[in-house]
């Protein structure tokens, strides 16, 4: 499959993307995960991105496009990809359109995950993420808690609350989403690629997306 997952922070894009990779071997490409790994490793990209990320702001389009141009041409993308958290702005969407046309790649569709704001706020403040950059398993202290002592059940590393998941950063991220990312709904609507999924359960959303792919 070749799809984009669109949705506010906390809409469940990461969880849905991970479940979809099990379906047909398509890879999940999360710009947030790539950036967090770069910050942890202290690479030049990570050093440039860290300040923006910690305050919940978007990293400049030019940095994101540089990394996505390389990533989308890596061999594991040949089977398909699920874009999670990219594009996030109209300039990124325009640049992606040009990039995909050059690579002769057609998207199946853009899945817009619609989730009520109170559900999003609750999810974000209760989320915990595995601190191991090679794992990054996501937990929720209410519905899917980590193991005893707050360690990751998969790899045993401590789970953490991300710096951008404080209440202040979360409200800034939601404002940023409304101002810069929500206009992509109109953009992809005009492109004839938009499919909206009211998403309260990630598992149900995955089934609906699979159904739409088969149709
Ligand atoms: P995420 O895990 O997708 O919520 O991303 C975490 C943070 O990484 C965001 O708050 C941004 O600072 C940055 N980021 C991730 N993807 C992008 C993108 N496509 N454009 C700009 N910034 C991004």
């Amino acid at each position: 499959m070749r799809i984009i997952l669109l949705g506010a922070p906390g809409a469940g894009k990461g969880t849905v993307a991970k479940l979809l990779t099990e379906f047909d071997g398509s890879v999940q490409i999360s710009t947030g995960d790539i950036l967090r790994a770069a910050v942890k490793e202290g690479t030049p990209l990570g050093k440039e991105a860290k300040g923006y990320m910690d305050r919940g702001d978007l990293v400049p389009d030019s940095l994101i496009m540089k990394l996505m141009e390389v990533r989308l041409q890596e061999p594991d993308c040949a089977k398909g990809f699920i874009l999670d958290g990219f594009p996030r702005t109209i300039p990124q969407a325009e640049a992606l359109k040009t990039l995909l046309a050059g690579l002769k790649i057609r998207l199946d569709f853009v899945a817009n995950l619609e989730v009520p704001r109170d559900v999003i706020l609750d999810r974000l403040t209760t989320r915990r993420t595995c601190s191991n950059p090679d794992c990054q398993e996501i937990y929720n202290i209410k519905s899917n808690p980590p193991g005893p002592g707050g360690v990751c059940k998969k790899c045993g590393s401590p789970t953490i609350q991300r710096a951008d998941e404080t209440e202040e950063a979360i409200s800034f991220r939601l404002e940023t989403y409304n101002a810069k990312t929500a206009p992509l709904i109109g953009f992809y609507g005009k492109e004839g690629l938009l499919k909206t999924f009211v998403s309260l359960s990630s598992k149900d959303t995955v089934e609906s997306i699979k159904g739409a792919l088969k149709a």
Side-chain angles (χ1 to χ4, degrees), residues 55-161:
R55 62 177 178 271
D57 204 354
L58 292 182
V59 171
D61 292 334
S62 55
L63 278 185
I64 298 289
M65 287 319 301
K66 238 195 275 171
L67 91 83
M68 284 306 293
E69 258 183 65
V70 175
R71 183 66 189 93
L72 280 170
Q73 294 182 68
E74 284 174 5
D76 62 345
C77 292
K79 265 192 165 178
F81 51 75
I82 302 147
L83 301 185
D84 158 16
F86 169 84
R88 280 277 232 287
T89 64
I90 295 282
Q92 288 180 21
E94 299 272 18
L96 175 65
K97 188 177 167 184
T98 309
L99 177 63
L100 292 180
L103 297 172
K104 302 205 164 28
I105 293 173
R106 273 195 51 219
L107 291 172
D108 294 306
F109 53 78
V110 176
N112 175 33
L113 310 190
E114 247 184 32
V115 182
R117 191 185 159 92
D118 53 332
V119 176
I120 282 185
L121 280 175
D122 187 59
R123 268 191 201 163
L124 285 174
T125 48
T126 52
R127 185 149 82 178
R128 298 293 179 270
T129 307
C130 173
S131 57
N132 172 2
D134 295 329
C135 176
Q136 307 205 27
E137 186 73 4
I138 295 168
Y139 294 92
N140 182 292
I141 51 173
K142 287 188 190 163
S143 60
N144 173 30
V151 299
C152 177
K153 286 188 203 161
K154 265 195 172 170
C155 76
S157 304
T159 58
I160 50 164
Q161 187 168 24

Side-chain angles (χ1 to χ4, degrees), residues 164-194:
D164 62 356
E165 286 174 352
T166 61
E167 277 199 43
E168 197 186 354
I170 288 168
S171 61
F172 190 61
R173 282 163 72 200
L174 290 174
E175 277 168 35
T176 305
Y177 173 80
N178 287 335
K180 299 196 175 149
T181 308
L184 296 184
I185 296 170
F187 178 93
Y188 285 117
K190 274 192 207 134
E191 297 275 314
L193 284 170
L194 192 76

